[in-house]
Amino acid sequence: MPWRTESVMEQRVEFVLRALQEEETMAALCREYEISRPTGYLWLQRYREAGVQALSDRSHAPTHFPSR
């Protein structure tokens, strides 16, 4: 089996589009893409709220600093 040459973003978009078709279960799709089900549902929710751009990586830096 050849390795995938798609970018991460392309794989996320493909995952979401397949999940929206509802032909396969979320668990099966997540196993295929080697992600957890909470991550799969998170990507699907972000796509529904803000489209394809919401699937890009987000910063892990804190947005709130209580001690400042």
Side-chain angles (χ1 to χ4, degrees), residues 2-13:
W3 290 356
R4 285 187 165 184
T5 56
E6 298 173 311
S7 71
V8 173
M9 188 67 172
E10 290 171 344
Q11 289 179 13
R12 289 178 183 175
V13 170

Side-chain angles (χ1 to χ4, degrees), residues 10-65:
E10 290 171 344
Q11 289 179 13
R12 289 178 183 175
V13 170
E14 180 183 329
F15 171 84
V16 167
L17 294 177
R18 287 178 64 188
L20 288 173
Q21 290 176 356
E22 297 181 358
E23 293 177 1
E24 302 172 77
T25 65
M26 181 62 80
L29 279 174
C30 291
R31 266 193 307 275
E32 182 179 334
Y33 284 87
E34 298 178 358
I35 59 172
S36 66
R37 283 189 299 159
T39 300
Y41 284 112
L42 178 69
W43 290 351
L44 190 57
Q45 178 185 2
R46 285 181 182 170
Y47 177 81
R48 286 180 175 155
E49 291 174 355
V52 173
Q53 295 303 323
L55 298 176
S56 62
D57 286 334
R58 293 184 174 187
S59 173
H60 293 279
T63 57
H64 179 70
F65 301 93

